Amino acid sequence: MKIYNTLTRKKEEFVPVKPGKVGMYVCGPTVYNFIHIGNARPMIIFDTVRRYFEYKGYDVNYVSNFTDVDDKIIKKANEEGVTATEIAERYIKECKKDMADLNIKPATHQPRATEEIGGMIEMIQKLIEKGHAYEVNGTVYFKTRSFKDYGKLSKKNIDDLEAGHRQIKVTGEEGKKDPLDFVLWKPKKEGEIAWDSPWGEGRPGWHIECSEMSKKYIGDTIDIHAGGEDLIFPHHENEIAQSEACNDEKFANYWMHNGFLNIDNKKMSKSAGNFFTVREIGEKYPLQVIRFFMLSAHYRTPLNFSDKLVESAQTGLERILNAVDLCREMAQSRPEGEMTQEDQKHFAEVEKLVKKFEAAMEDDFNTADAVSAIFEIVRESNSTVKDGTAAYAKKVLNVLETLCGVLGIITERKEEILDAEIEKLIEERQQARKDKNFARADEIRDQLLEQGIILKDTREGVKWSRA
Ligand code: AMP
Ligand code: ZN
């Protein structure tokens, strides 16, 4: 499997730290608002990377954080007259809802920065002890020049950076010894949320959060570190400096960065105001269309968002779902028995296309080509499945479901999912009645009634219909 590594600017063969395991860390959102569909791009991409590793049998430890303390969160809290914690809680909840609607698997660990302050303080202390950091009036700075490889990810030359920094003076950072140094710990300002530390009350800088959380939940060396390409500098460059200076180990073996989601060729961003939230877009399109749209392009190329392109993705996705429907129908209605020779010939074709799908994914997760391979399977299936056996239809169905699953595309129609949920509730009600738990049985009946589902007890069992 080949991955384009931002660190070397090359595609490299993937070799895990521990055989059969992948530890990956994806920088998560700062939670002060609803996420926009630009933020959703790395979530969808790296969830798909995870799914592919799992499809290949790897055990993936997928860690993605919430940055729940930050200037923007504090500003929003002050505007609303509530606490920063209340803002963070609210938008973590909303973000999790959007992620679920985009069919993003919950991370193995989803740490919140504010729950990890102790570990961050320890790392900062170690950096001070090792001469990589210093404190001035309650602020702790990382001594950038003390880390000789600084700039290796972003390919920036430290002396050029120095020249660029000379004019910039940030208020409150007057004690900095070198303009290149960056903050690890900042002292509390009036009315701000703060934690005790050896340097007085304060809060961590953004970069140290990710260094600490990846160390704690994965280890000193992680396989893959990922995020949007805007994070390469300074965020990821600073993470490398802090982690490698503290741990004396290589921080991440592979760095993956997604390109931007653009509008009119400009990066979608909250500050530019040219954004759509996932919530808004979800009112216009099923969110899995957005997921499919994002995967129809290579993750490293910029992707322009437009209704025309999303509508074309919708048509494409519909073609795949129709092919799945047809397979399901044929799996029911075609003759039983073993696959015929003709079926076997067709299925060999399908298997070749599965290999094509895998080859695309193994070439730096080229989901655009992987999607094309699925379309070829759809074409093959549509032209053969009506004349084959039920066994053949089932096998093709299984292939389509599996490959769509790798991309995080749900092949069941919404009504079918709903039907399955209703049937599960009815079963639970039957059990409750058997157990003489009539309160629960009545509760389920009322809940279903609220959804417009009417139950009828018949001699053959419970029948249901929509009102
Ligand atoms: P933020 O909350 O701004 O720190 O962003 C969270 C994640 O979304 C980071 O990995 C960013 O790189 C990514 N991101 C933000 N805007 C875009 C965009 N327009 N296109 C792609 N990724 C983005
Ligand atoms: Zn980060």
Side-chain angles (χ1 to χ4, degrees), residues 9 39 50 101 110 139 177 189 197 236 240 258 265 281 337 361 371 392 404-405:
R9 304 285 197 267
N39 301 133
R50 170 198 187 163
D101 290 346
Q110 209 154 25
T139 304
K177 291 184 186 155
K189 286 196 210 120
S197 83
H236 289 163
I240 293 178
N258 64 272
N265 299 312
I281 290 295
M361 290 301 276
V371 165
Y392 172 64
C404 285

Side-chain angles (χ1 to χ4, degrees), residues 303-323:
L303 175 60
N304 235 337
F305 180 84
S306 75
D307 281 309
K308 209 169 138 225
L309 289 174
V310 175
E311 278 155 22
S312 131
Q314 188 160 22
T315 313
L317 180 59
E318 202 49 39
R319 249 178 68 212
I320 297 173
L321 299 184
N322 285 339

Side-chain angles (χ1 to χ4, degrees), residues 43 47-48 50-51 54-55 62 64 99-100 102-108 110 291 405 408:
M43 292 174 179
D47 176 63
T48 306
R50 170 198 187 163
R51 285 168 184 265
E54 288 176 344
Y55 165 79
Y62 188 96
S64 191
M99 288 170 84
L102 288 162
N103 199 24
I104 290 157
K105 290 177 90 167
T108 322
Q110 209 154 25
R291 182 166 181 128

Side-chain angles (χ1 to χ4, degrees), residues 215-233:
K215 178 182 168 74
K216 176 164 170 190
Y217 293 96
I218 305 177
D220 287 356
T221 302
I222 64 181
D223 289 299
I224 299 173
H225 196 314
E229 67 182 8
D230 52 338
L231 300 187
I232 297 174
F233 188 85

Side-chain angles (χ1 to χ4, degrees), residues 451-454 465-467:
Q451 294 176 25
I453 307 297
I454 299 164
S465 56
R466 289 200 162 85

Side-chain angles (χ1 to χ4, degrees), residues 25-28 65 67 206-207 209-211 225 231 235-236 239:
Y25 185 93
V26 183
C27 292
N65 67 298
T67 295
W206 172 37
H207 316 302
E209 297 177 4
C210 290
S211 280
H225 196 314
L231 300 187
H235 185 51
H236 289 163
E239 279 187 44

Side-chain angles (χ1 to χ4, degrees), residues 387-406:
D387 304 318
T389 57
Y392 172 64
K394 275 182 204 158
K395 285 191 86 159
V396 180
L397 174 62
N398 183 263
V399 164
L400 283 172
E401 282 175 341
T402 305
L403 301 191
C404 285
V406 171

